[in-house]
Amino acid sequence: MSDLIKLTAAALGEKIAAGEVSAEEVTRAHLDRIAEVDGRVHAFLHVDSEGAVEAARAVDARRAAGEKLGPLAGVPIAIKDVIATKGVPSTAASKILEGWRPPYDATVMTRIREAGMVMLGKTNMDEFAMGSSTEYSAYGPTYNPWDLTRIPGGSGGGSAASLAAYEAPLAIGTDTGGSIRQPGAVTGTVGAKPTYGGTSRYGLIAFSSSLDTPGPCARTVLDAALLHEVIAGHDPRDSTSIPMPVPDVVAAARQGATGDLTGVRVGLVKEFSGEGAEPGVMAVFRDTVEALTKLGAEVVEVSCPHFQYALPAYYLIAPSECSSNLARFDGVRFGLRTGDDGRNSLEEVMSLTREAGFGDEVKRRIIIGTYALSSGYYDAYYGQAQKVRTLITRDFTSAFEQVDVLVSPTTPFTAFELGARTADPYQMYLADLYTIPTNLYGGPGISVPAGLSDGLPVGLQIMAPTMADDRMYRLAAAVESTVGTFTPPAL
């Protein structure tokens, strides 16, 4: 294993800037690592070797010409396949988009390129980001580098696994109900969901428009903050983008790394006291909370009574929005087309295309959402779920009047074995039990490694008020300074 792939993104950026190593050398080291281990991990759906080397050489040329570049210039990055990348396959891990090459970049991708970062390729995911284990990819599952018989989380398991397997130092994910944080937790990496609207959704293949949030995945908190700084900020092409300055998340991460939390008020959510969670997960959580008090934090219990309704509310709101968003995949304008032999009507071609192109989980959610939005049921289901969403927002608002941040385990359990929950959708949905409320509220959340349970990673979730992303980075960096980082067994 090359020493280069073990370095943090921040360290790689510094070495490239100092001329100690070229961007091309760093890129080739990671491409070699992908070639070595991805046959077993399957983190990537597409590796853009030629494009990556070309981009790295361009960075080296710009630096040689004396151009001033950012701290992540020349650093490789993996991109979740739900992000549109110009000229590079973008499939959302679905057969219905197999081979589609967008004619444009998502805003997140544009900012990554402007920062001089090098895209290695597109990572595997649950189809259209619908899942919690990356087992619902049309192209096969991703495997957890900690134990190749276990799931890497979802929907962004490919991005998280690429980090844990040292195939990339940074990755981009998207978080609709926990799809950045939950994979981070079960792979021993850092996953951050920014404030909704703090990162642009333009060019993101939509699942649930009021919930989807692109965000950074990394092996350290500082690396996540550096990537967050690159991709965040107002975008006029996204009507939900917030026209406000990005909090100084990098400074917050550096401050937290000093390990001083004096004056920080941390709230324990009473409703997340451990019912249904594995004992090992709760033991790690309690130890981490104790560590926070030793760093000077004031820890108090707060009640968020409507959090118990977050899971059912989410599984009405998200499928309803997905049934609308996925209506565009009709076999007419782009992507897969089935049954167009001159004998079938347009409606029949649409039906045959969707039958062949969508997987079972996507079909399940489309059907649920269409039913919830149908005449006579809208008020009873979708309307009621939106009322619950308002109550959950009020719970957060009330809690943040008492504390600066909230903490909980990221997931109720460690990585489970592949196939263990695919036959029971409800058990699969429980993986996002602790992460969903933040999405319904719209605030930021981060998962940081907190320890091990039976040799598998456990994550601590930190939740903050909207546009106070810096608070979660400060606390996460403090946890990291105490607990350290975790390295999976060698592949």
Side-chain angles (χ1 to χ4, degrees), residues 14 28 38 62 131 164-165 188 203 206 236 275 347 355 372 391 419 422 443:
E14 290 171 359
R28 289 191 181 278
D38 205 55
R62 290 168 63 189
E275 183 178 351
E347 184 176 347
E355 168 62 27
L391 294 173
T422 50

Side-chain angles (χ1 to χ4, degrees), residues 301-383:
E301 186 177 77
V302 298
S303 179
C304 298
H306 300 98
F307 279 20
Q308 62 181 309
Y309 306 116
L311 194 69
Y314 173 88
Y315 279 103
L316 284 169
I317 293 170
S320 295
E321 294 184 4
C322 102
S323 74
S324 176
N325 278 323
L326 270 60
R328 72 193 68 181
F329 302 107
D330 53 15
V332 176
R333 288 161 288 192
F334 53 84
L336 180 71
R337 181 181 299 172
T338 301
D340 186 14
D341 56 7
R343 293 179 295 178
N344 293 310
S345 68
L346 176 61
E347 184 176 347
E348 289 169 330
V349 170
M350 289 182 181
S351 179
L352 289 168
T353 297
R354 289 167 175 162
E355 168 62 27
F358 289 140
D360 290 344
E361 181 62 21
V362 172
K363 291 174 184 174
R364 179 184 294 119
R365 298 200 193 194
I366 290 173
I367 291 169
I368 291 172
T370 303
Y371 180 83
L373 293 175
S374 60
S375 177
Y377 296 99
Y378 180 96
D379 290 336
Y381 293 106
Y382 184 75

Side-chain angles (χ1 to χ4, degrees), residues 414-434:
T414 55
F416 49 86
E417 292 186 348
L418 290 153
R421 296 173 184 256
T422 50
D424 188 341
Y426 179 71
Q427 289 300 314
M428 184 72 78
Y429 297 163
L430 287 175
D432 300 327
L433 181 67
Y434 297 150

